[in-house]
Amino acid sequence: YWCGDRFAQASFRDYAKEKYGTVDALNASWGTDFRTFGAAQYLRGAGADPTDVYSLFKTAPSELSKEARFHTAITIYKGNIAISACDGDTDESYRIIASKAADKMLTLRGVDAAFTLVRIGDQIHISGRSTGATVNVQLILEKLGGGGHFDVAGAQVEADSVSSVLEALKASIDDYLDK
């Protein structure tokens, strides 16, 4: 029986941590790909079959190849901020791919925020993600004309090069961290 109150939620998290130890072990046992015990708890509590949920997160091979362009170009800035840029042959699908890549970059150890940059047409699109612990990506991207929330934000910048927007992003990060 699942009542979903905070006590049941805490009990489930404790149970899952005790039984599986890590989210990776839970995923291996359930055949899923959850990032946190909380996500597994919520979906299980809502009556979702873990294998059905897992199928929702499947990726097409072409999307995975596009996302890999971001993951092979990650740099760590200021010790806890992952940044990756993709320039060259891109299309509209890269808007979503960049967002997914930023989400996955947050799973890197020691990373509290992640930014991806991609040229689409005449604009450089930036996706920002944060764990919410120490970095507010909204405040950083507002300086570049963007917006969003403290943990999810974006911007579109008219620019000649990805590298010039990357330098502006780093300057905005520096300003944010100096305050």
Side-chain angles (χ1 to χ4, degrees):
Y1 174 73
W2 174 262
C3 62
D5 67 19
R6 64 187 171 101
F7 301 109
Q9 293 174 12
S11 176
F12 177 87
R13 280 192 302 273
D14 291 345
Y15 160 78
K17 286 178 187 175
E18 184 178 316
K19 179 166 181 164
Y20 300 104
T22 66
V23 175
D24 288 339
L26 177 138
N27 285 331
S29 176
W30 286 10
T32 56
D33 192 22
F34 295 120
R35 292 187 183 163
T36 66
F37 286 115
Q41 158 204 327
Y42 174 80
L43 293 170
R44 174 70 90 181
D49 179 342
T51 55
D52 290 341
V53 172
Y54 183 68
S55 69
L56 294 174
F57 294 101
K58 294 272 187 183
T59 301
S62 62
E63 288 182 14
L64 188 61
S65 294
K66 290 176 182 179
E67 196 174 318
R69 291 178 65 184
F70 290 99
H71 296 309
T72 57
I74 297 170
T75 59
I76 304 300
Y77 187 68
K78 300 292 184 178
N80 67 334
I81 299 172
I83 302 174
S84 185
C86 178
D87 203 357
D89 186 25
T90 62
D91 57 40
E92 287 293 323
S93 70
Y94 276 84
R95 289 178 197 253
I96 294 171
I97 301 295
S99 297
K100 286 181 175 182
D103 285 336
K104 282 194 181 161
M105 287 162 54
L106 278 183
T107 66
L108 296 170
R109 282 191 183 88
V111 169
D112 294 320
F115 295 92
T116 53
L117 296 85
V118 63
R119 172 183 294 286
I120 300 174
D122 295 334
Q123 295 182 325
I124 310 303
H125 294 255
I126 307 171
S127 289
R129 299 293 185 270
S130 170
T131 61
T134 59
V135 180
N136 184 328
V137 293
Q138 175 187 358
L139 295 178
I140 293 169
L141 291 181
E142 280 179 352
K143 291 184 179 184
L144 299 175
H149 301 279
F150 72 97
D151 59 346
V152 178
Q156 297 175 12
V157 181
E158 298 279 339
D160 291 332
S161 71
V162 171
S163 61
S164 66
V165 177
L166 177 59
E167 292 309 312
L169 173 63
K170 287 180 178 179
S172 183
I173 292 168
D174 291 344
D175 287 347
Y176 172 80
L177 294 175
D178 288 342
K179 290 185 181 183

